[in-house]
Amino acid sequence: MKKTALLFFLLLLFSCTKKEKRSFTFYYWKTNLALDKPEKDALSKADYPFLYTRFFDVDKINGKFEPVAVISKNQNFETEKEIVPTVFITNRSFINIQKKEIPFLAEKINTLIKKKITDYQLKANGEIQIDCDWTPGTKEDYFEFLKQLKKISQKEITCTLRLHQVKDKETSGIPPVDKVYLMCYSTSSPLENSDKNSILDLNIMKSYLSKLEDYPIKKIEVALPIYSWGIVTNHLGKHKLINALSTKDLNHPDFKKISANEAEVLKDGFYFGNFLNKGFQIKVEEISEKQLHNAIQFLDQKIGNYTIVYYQLDSKFVENRSF
C-alpha cells in the first residue's frame, strides 16, 4: 500500500514538473534561399511543417513604394517544409499614404509574392505574413492594407506583433487578423549605454507582457531570438553593430577581456570585416539556453498553445544549439 502511494506521488510530481515540448520552426531572413549542412540539420529537427521565409522588404523611396532585397534562390535549395511568404514593410511606407494607394500596394505585393513562388517553384502554404512596426499614426492605413491584401490574395493574412503593441494596445490598435506572431526580442536599443541585453531582457519582456492574456487576438505564435551580435563603442561613445559575433570571438590575441562578454581592442586592424581602432570596446550579446527556457516558462503561463518560430535559421546561430 505504501509503495503504491509512493509511486502515485512520484507520477504526480513528474507530471507536474515535466516540461511540455513546444513545436518549433524558423524564420529564414537571408536574401538568398540556400541551406548549408547545419541549417539543414536544424530544420530537419523542427517539427512544425512551415518555414517562414522573407521574400522581400517594402520601403517608400522618393515617394514611391519599392521592393528591397528581393530574395533569390540557390538551384540546389530544397526542403520538405511549406514556405510561408513573409514581407517586411517599413512604417514610413504608411505615413501620408493616400487611400487609393493602399489597394495598389496590396496588389503589387501579392503579385511579386506569386511571381517568386512560381519562378522558384516553391511549395507555399495558404498564408502570407506581414511584418511592420506600425504606430498609432499609421495603424488605420496599415490595418486597411491587411484587409485589402486578404481580399486580393484570398490567403490567410497574419502579422507580427511587437511587445509595445501588446502593452499599449489601446493606442496601437488591434490588427484585423486571426493570428499574430509575438516578437519576443529587441527589448531595448543596442545603441544605448546599458547593462541590459538588448536582444532579450526577461524583466522588460515580462513588464510589457504582464497582461498578455487580455489581448483580444487569442491565436498567438511566438518568435524567440537565437541570433547574436557585437556592439562596438568608439572613443566618442558612439556605437555600431557587428552581426553574428559570439563570446568565443573575443578570445583573440589582439583583445583584452574586460568581462565574460566584453573586450577592448589592443591593436588597430580589421576584425570581423570592420576596421577597429585600439581602445574600441566590444560587447557581445547572445541568447543562452537558460534565457530561452525562462522566457518559455513565462509565456507558458500567459498563452495556452503556441508554436515557437526561432529567429533566425543561420548556421552561425543554430550549430551546436539544442532545440
Side-chain angles (χ1 to χ4, degrees):
M1 187 70 178
K2 288 183 179 180
K3 288 183 178 180
T4 303
L6 178 61
L7 179 62
F8 176 78
F9 174 76
L10 291 173
L11 287 172
L12 181 63
L13 180 64
F14 179 75
S15 66
C16 290
T17 58
K18 185 180 179 182
K19 179 189 169 200
E20 181 180 352
K21 182 172 174 57
R22 295 287 176 189
S23 292
F24 74 94
T25 186
F26 299 93
Y27 278 107
Y28 188 90
W29 216 257
K30 292 184 281 189
T31 54
N32 183 45
L33 198 51
L35 297 174
D36 60 21
K37 187 179 185 305
E39 292 161 356
K40 288 178 181 177
D41 290 345
L43 195 57
S44 69
K45 296 172 185 174
D47 56 354
Y48 200 59
F50 307 126
L51 176 63
Y52 293 83
T53 306
R54 187 203 67 88
F55 273 40
F56 52 89
D57 301 342
V58 174
D59 198 3
K60 187 181 283 185
I61 303 171
N62 297 323
K64 294 184 178 180
F65 302 112
E66 298 284 353
V68 179
V70 180
I71 199 169
S72 59
K73 174 180 160 299
N74 186 291
Q75 62 180 358
N76 296 321
F77 171 82
E78 61 179 45
T79 179
E80 293 299 315
K81 304 293 184 187
E82 291 185 49
I83 301 296
V84 179
T86 303
V87 177
F88 171 76
I89 308 179
T90 62
N91 183 57
R92 69 181 181 184
S93 295
F94 293 100
I95 295 174
N96 298 324
I97 191 173
Q98 298 179 32
K99 295 300 180 185
K100 64 181 180 181
E101 291 180 311
I102 296 176
F104 169 82
L105 178 60
E107 181 67 53
K108 290 298 182 182
I109 288 175
N110 185 59
T111 298
L112 186 52
I113 288 173
K114 289 198 299 183
K115 184 178 188 305
K116 291 302 165 185
I117 290 172
T118 301
D119 289 350
Y120 299 147
Q121 298 179 318
L122 298 174
K123 182 175 66 174
N125 80 332
E127 177 183 353
I128 296 173
Q129 184 181 133
I130 301 297
D131 179 19
C132 179
D133 189 6
W134 81 87
T135 60
T138 59
K139 66 181 178 183
E140 290 185 12
D141 291 323
Y142 173 59
F143 292 171
E144 179 59 26
F145 161 78
L146 294 175
K147 293 176 184 177
Q148 290 292 328
L149 184 59
K150 180 178 179 65
K151 179 180 177 182
I152 291 167
S153 68
Q154 295 297 297
K155 303 281 189 181
E156 178 189 12
I157 304 302
T158 62
C159 71
T160 56
L161 181 69
R162 285 161 173 78
L163 300 180
H164 70 89
Q165 292 163 344
V166 175
K167 182 179 181 180
D168 303 322
K169 63 180 182 292
E170 286 78 15
T171 54
S172 293
I174 309 300
V177 297
D178 295 325
K179 180 165 67 172
V180 291
Y181 293 75
L182 180 62
M183 299 173 69
C184 292
Y185 49 88
S186 296
T187 49
S188 59
S189 171
L191 304 182
E192 297 175 354
N193 289 313
S194 173
D195 58 352
K196 294 180 173 60
N197 186 321
S198 66
I199 295 175
L200 176 60
D201 183 280
L202 194 61
N203 289 330
I204 294 176
M205 189 189 84
K206 286 181 176 181
S207 69
Y208 274 92
L209 301 181
S210 62
K211 298 186 183 301
L212 176 60
E213 61 271 25
D214 297 334
Y215 197 75
I217 298 174
K218 298 305 179 185
K219 184 59 177 174
I220 299 175
E221 313 294 12
V222 173
L224 286 174
I226 54 173
Y227 63 94
S228 64
W229 54 32
I231 304 169
V232 179
T233 305
N234 68 10
H235 301 111
L236 301 176
K238 293 185 177 180
H239 311 289
K240 73 174 180 179
L241 293 178
I242 299 178
N243 189 40
L245 287 194
S246 67
T247 51
K248 63 184 178 183
D249 291 316
L250 300 181
N251 298 321
H252 192 286
D254 292 338
F255 296 166
K256 180 179 73 174
K257 292 289 286 290
I258 300 172
S259 69
N261 67 323
E262 294 175 290
E264 180 180 326
V265 179
L266 298 177
K267 181 180 177 181
D268 292 356
F270 280 94
Y271 306 97
F272 323 114
N274 295 262
F275 187 82
L276 305 180
N277 291 111
K278 178 182 178 181
F280 281 20
Q281 293 191 355
I282 306 171
K283 173 188 174 185
V284 168
E285 293 186 336
E286 54 189 0
I287 301 301
S288 68
E289 302 291 338
K290 183 178 180 180
Q291 284 172 293
L292 289 176
H293 173 72
N294 290 341
I296 292 168
Q297 273 194 322
F298 170 76
L299 291 163
D300 285 348
Q301 300 170 21
K302 296 290 182 178
I303 315 173
N305 186 32
Y306 63 91
T307 297
I308 297 171
V309 187
Y310 288 108
Y311 181 87
Q312 59 170 311
L313 182 61
D314 189 308
S315 57
K316 301 184 195 77
F317 308 135
V318 299
E319 196 166 19
N320 300 320
R321 183 181 282 272
S322 174
F323 293 101

